[in-house]
Amino acid sequence: MTAPGIRVVVADDQELVRSGFAMILDAQPDIDVAAEAGDGIEAVAAVREHRPDVLLLDIRMPRMDGIEAAGIVCAETGCRVLMLTTFDLDDYVYDALRAGASGFLLKDVRRDDLVHAVRVVAAGESLLAPSVTTRLIREFTSRPAKRGARTAVDVLTARERETLQLIARGLSNAEIAEAMVVSEHTVKTHVSNLLAKLGLRDRVQAVIAAYESGLAVPGT
């Protein structure tokens, strides 16, 4: 029996872009494009109907933009949202991640990188283009730490706080394990625990929480 593939909905108001991404993804043996959508309203409806694993979502669309659509999808379902934008200085990067997006890609992404991104996000990991990460850190630099966020991390153990700081620096589980001199399994446990305690979906939101709380500081 063939293993079930990754179900994807592609949402973009530009038909050529949308169909191009859909064709690339549908050509993969482990990916199935369940539906296409031309705006945020159609994207939300498609996710509700088809229950995909990943929603590839343009950030700027008519009727309902990607930010609002991502917030609804992430609140209602377990679907992972991978956002698309035309350029890396998009003003909505921070808001998209706060809405629950698990990844961010530029529209000029290479074919192989697009396929890889969908697989990574579907597997429960997070993915950001390097230029988008730079934009996100710049955003954090201009924002003071939030009081509520600062006290929220108090529920974490010392090791969980250390893990969160290392996540915010962009380290993988293997790199965190090496830095903390523990097993990778222990790191995975710390990550799962801190996400649960802080009510976070994934590592992207963990990075945001680390900076908002002042636990992580840009440049360190």
Side-chain angles (χ1 to χ4, degrees):
M1 180 179 294
T2 304
I6 301 168
R7 290 172 57 78
V8 180
V9 166
V10 180
D12 194 300
D13 62 322
Q14 295 179 290
E15 184 178 357
L16 287 178
V17 173
R18 183 174 73 242
S19 60
F21 283 143
M23 184 170 58
I24 291 171
L25 295 174
D26 222 15
Q28 306 306 310
D30 59 333
I31 299 177
D32 172 42
V33 176
E36 296 181 28
D39 58 44
I41 292 177
E42 290 181 5
V44 172
V47 170
R48 286 170 175 165
E49 178 181 354
H50 297 282
R51 296 290 173 176
D53 303 295
V54 177
L55 169 61
L56 190 62
L57 182 63
D58 185 14
I59 201 166
R60 294 183 174 181
M61 293 186 295
R63 295 208 297 168
M64 178 189 291
D65 65 24
I67 306 295
E68 186 176 355
I72 294 172
V73 167
C74 292
E76 290 186 0
T77 75
C79 178
R80 311 279 291 181
V81 176
L82 184 56
M83 304 295 298
L84 289 164
T85 186
T86 306
F87 50 95
D88 60 349
L89 296 182
D90 199 305
D91 292 336
Y92 299 129
V93 168
Y94 185 84
D95 292 335
L97 295 175
R98 285 303 303 266
S102 297
F104 222 103
L105 289 175
L106 303 184
K107 281 193 178 181
D108 62 358
V109 62
R110 296 185 308 169
R111 177 190 303 258
D112 290 347
D113 290 338
L114 171 66
V115 174
H116 172 71
V118 168
R119 289 172 178 154
V120 167
V121 170
E125 297 295 328
S126 303
L127 185 144
L128 293 176
S131 54
V132 173
T133 302
T134 300
R135 171 76 171 98
L136 186 60
I137 299 304
R138 192 180 305 130
E139 182 75 30
F140 286 130
T141 306
S142 66
R143 292 172 180 247
K146 293 184 177 181
R147 290 183 180 179
R150 183 182 295 276
T151 57
V153 298
D154 290 344
V155 302
L156 304 179
T157 65
R159 289 302 248 175
E160 288 166 355
R161 285 197 295 273
E162 183 179 359
T163 301
L164 181 55
Q165 287 177 312
L166 295 174
I167 289 174
R169 285 172 49 189
L171 273 63
S172 67
N173 284 352
E175 291 168 333
I176 293 173
E178 183 177 355
M180 295 176 63
V181 195
V182 297
S183 70
E184 194 169 343
H185 175 74
T186 298
V187 173
K188 290 180 180 179
T189 299
H190 288 329
V191 173
S192 296
N193 288 343
L194 72 87
L195 291 178
K197 288 181 179 180
L198 298 178
L200 306 174
R201 286 172 59 92
D202 53 33
R203 294 171 83 98
V204 170
Q205 291 197 328
V207 172
I208 292 174
Y211 280 97
E212 284 189 339
S213 67
L215 191 63
V217 179
T220 60

